[in-house]
Amino acid sequence: MMKKLALACDHAAVDLKNHVKEYVEKRGIEVVDFGTNSYERCDYPIYALAAANAVKDGECDGGILFCGTGIGISLAANKVKGIRCAVVSDCYSAKLSREHNDANMLAMGTRVVGPELALLIVQHWLDAEYEYGIHVPRVAMISQIEETGKIG
Ligand code: RB5
């Protein structure tokens, strides 16, 4: 169960980040907000890196990222070792990203999902647990690619 989450966004997604932050805090989950908190144009990799490092270092159990599409900020987060960030725009993928892929970060696009769908997506993601079992070797292969560029 996630007890402490890292949240981050770029200028495009400040409102969605804050909307999700309110929901997450209402669930009793602690939030570390890595910004941005300004509508001034900024570079999403900076915020992705800060939040992803907090997850990698164990300061946070997981994280949720936001940009225009969710794509740029997830791509940046996925460059941090140990991060498995799933960019999703539906509840099913959000749930399965936890159950099958052990996604430790979630990303959404404010130009893709509306605020209420975003909350449902977060709800499905937070309520789901990694199922282990047959998924373990596959997730391990992802780590091997990250470590060595090879499998096996
Ligand atoms: C900013 O305009 C936009 O490019 C950014 O929020 C994001 O969608 C990138 O993937």
Side-chain angles (χ1 to χ4, degrees):
M1 206 173 74
M2 304 225 180
K3 291 187 181 147
K4 191 171 175 183
L5 286 177
L7 262 55
C9 65
D10 73 357
H11 56 284
V14 174
D15 291 346
L16 185 60
K17 187 256 292 166
N18 288 336
H19 186 60
V20 168
K21 182 179 177 181
E22 195 182 313
Y23 167 75
V24 166
E25 285 178 336
K26 263 193 207 143
R27 284 183 61 133
I29 297 170
E30 195 182 335
V31 167
V32 185
D33 185 343
F34 288 92
T36 181
N37 284 302
S38 159
Y39 299 123
E40 203 173 312
R41 195 170 295 179
C42 67
D43 299 321
Y44 56 79
I46 294 167
Y47 299 91
L49 178 63
N53 274 337
V55 176
K56 182 193 83 177
D57 296 341
E59 184 198 340
C60 294
D61 305 312
I64 310 178
L65 304 173
F66 311 85
C67 67
T69 58
I71 296 170
I73 204 154
S74 64
L75 290 176
N78 277 318
K79 295 298 177 191
V80 174
K81 202 168 168 184
I83 295 303
R84 290 177 300 282
C85 181
V87 54
V88 307
S89 52
D90 68 277
C91 297
Y92 179 76
S93 302
K95 182 175 185 286
L96 271 283
S97 78
R98 288 288 306 130
E99 292 179 352
H100 289 193
N101 314 113
D102 197 18
N104 50 13
M105 298 192 86
L106 179 74
M108 285 178 287
T110 192
R111 298 172 189 153
V112 181
V113 298
E116 296 318 304
L117 175 57
L119 295 193
L120 275 183
I121 287 171
V122 170
Q123 182 190 323
H124 279 79
W125 191 69
L126 290 174
D127 287 345
E129 293 287 349
Y130 184 38
E131 287 177 349
Y132 294 89
I134 57 164
H135 307 294
V136 172
R138 295 166 186 161
V139 173
M141 285 179 198
I142 296 172
S143 302
Q144 281 179 26
I145 294 172
E146 189 173 69
E147 291 283 345
T148 66
K150 292 186 291 195
I151 294 172

